[in-house]
Amino acid sequence: MSPPVLLVIAHGSRDPRHAATVHALVRRVRAVRPDVRVETGFLDFNVPSVRGVLESLETEGVRDVVALPLLLTRAFHAKADIPAVLADAPPRLRIRQAEVLGPSPLLLSALERRLYEAGLTPADKSSTGVVLASAGSSDPEAIAVIAEIAREWRHTGWCAVRPAFASASLPRTEDAVRELRELGCARVAVAPYVLAPGFLPDRIARGAGRADVLADVLGPSPEVARVLLERYDEARTPVLAAAVGA
C-alpha cells in the first residue's frame, strides 16, 4: 500500500524568494524520502492553491493525505486558516493535519548551522549574544513558545539569547540587539527564526543593522527537512492504522 501523500502547505508571498525557498525545501524532502509523494500548496499569492492540489489528488484516485503546515508555531494559520481549507476538501479524501514544525531540537541545530555559515564558530558561543528573531504573532501561545525556545537555547552555551519579533509583538530586533550590547556580550548575532525570505524577514535584517552577524533564514536546511518528515511520520501512523482496520 502506498504511503499517504504529503501535502506541504505554505503561506505564500508576493516575494518570489518565498516560493523558490519552499520548492527547494520540498526537493530536499523528496531526495531524502523518494518513496513518499510530496506536493506543495499555497494559502495565498502563489499557485498551486491548497484547494487545487487536493482536487487534483482526488481526481487521480488518491485517498490518504497528510497535510503539513509549513509553520514554526501554532498560530492563526495553523489553528484557523488551514483547518478551514482542509474542511472544504473533496469528501473522498482522508486528510490528517500534521503538527507544525516547531519547537524541535533539530530547528535549534538549523539555527546554529546558519550562524556558523555566517561566520561564527563554536568557540564564539560563550562571548556571543543571540537575537532569536521571529516573524511575530498576536497569538499568546506562539509568543510563549518563542520565549521558551530562547531560554532553552541559552543553556547550550551562548552568552545570552533574547527573543525578538518583526510584527505584532515586542521587542523588535534592533531593541534586542541593543539590550545584548548593554548586557556586555562581546558580539551580537541575529538568527532569523523564519523559513523563507519575504517582507518580515527583510524587516528582521534591517533591525540587525548594528549586529555583528546576521544569519540566513532556515530555508531548505537538512534539519528542517528532517523535522518535516518527522511530523509527517507522526501524523501518518493513525491514517494507516485506520486504513488497515477499514
Side-chain angles (χ1 to χ4, degrees):
M1 187 170 90
S2 299
V5 171
L6 169 55
L7 173 57
V8 176
I9 300 179
H11 182 273
S13 170
R14 293 186 178 91
D15 189 322
R17 297 173 298 167
H18 174 88
T21 302
V22 171
H23 291 312
L25 174 60
V26 169
R27 286 194 297 272
R28 183 180 285 275
V29 170
R30 287 173 177 150
V32 174
R33 290 282 290 276
D35 60 309
V36 176
R37 178 176 175 181
V38 187
E39 300 291 341
T40 308
F42 295 91
L43 290 174
D44 207 351
F45 302 116
N46 303 104
V47 293
S49 67
V50 176
R51 173 74 184 184
V53 175
L54 292 172
E55 289 176 347
S56 295
L57 292 174
E58 193 265 349
T59 299
E60 290 180 33
V62 170
R63 290 295 173 264
D64 291 311
V65 177
V66 170
L68 192 150
L70 197 60
L71 300 168
L72 295 172
T73 59
R74 287 192 74 253
F76 182 79
H77 294 304
K79 294 177 179 178
D81 283 352
I82 292 176
V85 171
L86 298 181
D88 194 38
R92 283 186 288 183
L93 288 176
R94 293 186 291 261
I95 303 174
R96 186 172 182 86
Q97 182 176 328
E99 291 295 331
V100 298
L101 302 183
S104 166
L106 284 169
L107 294 177
L108 288 181
S109 297
L111 287 165
E112 295 204 358
R113 171 192 289 275
R114 294 303 190 224
L115 286 170
Y116 297 150
E117 290 171 349
L120 293 179
T121 70
D124 296 323
K125 291 184 75 168
S126 62
S127 59
T128 302
V130 179
V131 177
L132 179 68
S134 76
S137 173
S138 58
D139 188 308
E141 178 186 349
I143 297 304
V145 167
I146 298 299
E148 179 58 30
I149 292 170
R151 284 191 292 269
E152 179 182 343
W153 202 14
R154 163 67 182 85
H155 294 308
T156 66
W158 296 101
C159 172
V161 180
R162 295 290 186 271
F165 308 95
S167 68
S169 305
L170 295 174
R172 295 286 184 257
T173 302
E174 53 269 33
D175 299 325
V177 169
R178 183 172 57 251
E179 180 185 349
L180 290 172
R181 292 277 188 219
E182 294 171 352
L183 191 63
C185 298
R187 67 181 63 78
V188 176
V190 174
Y193 190 60
V194 293
L195 288 166
F199 176 76
L200 293 178
D202 283 350
R203 181 180 287 177
I204 290 171
R206 290 193 297 272
R210 296 191 175 183
D212 301 292
V213 173
L214 171 62
D216 200 357
V217 299
L218 295 175
S221 67
E223 294 87 356
V224 174
R226 286 174 58 193
V227 175
L228 199 151
L229 286 167
E230 281 186 358
R231 298 293 181 257
Y232 167 75
D233 286 332
E234 291 164 0
R236 71 188 286 252
T237 302
V239 172
L240 294 178
V244 170

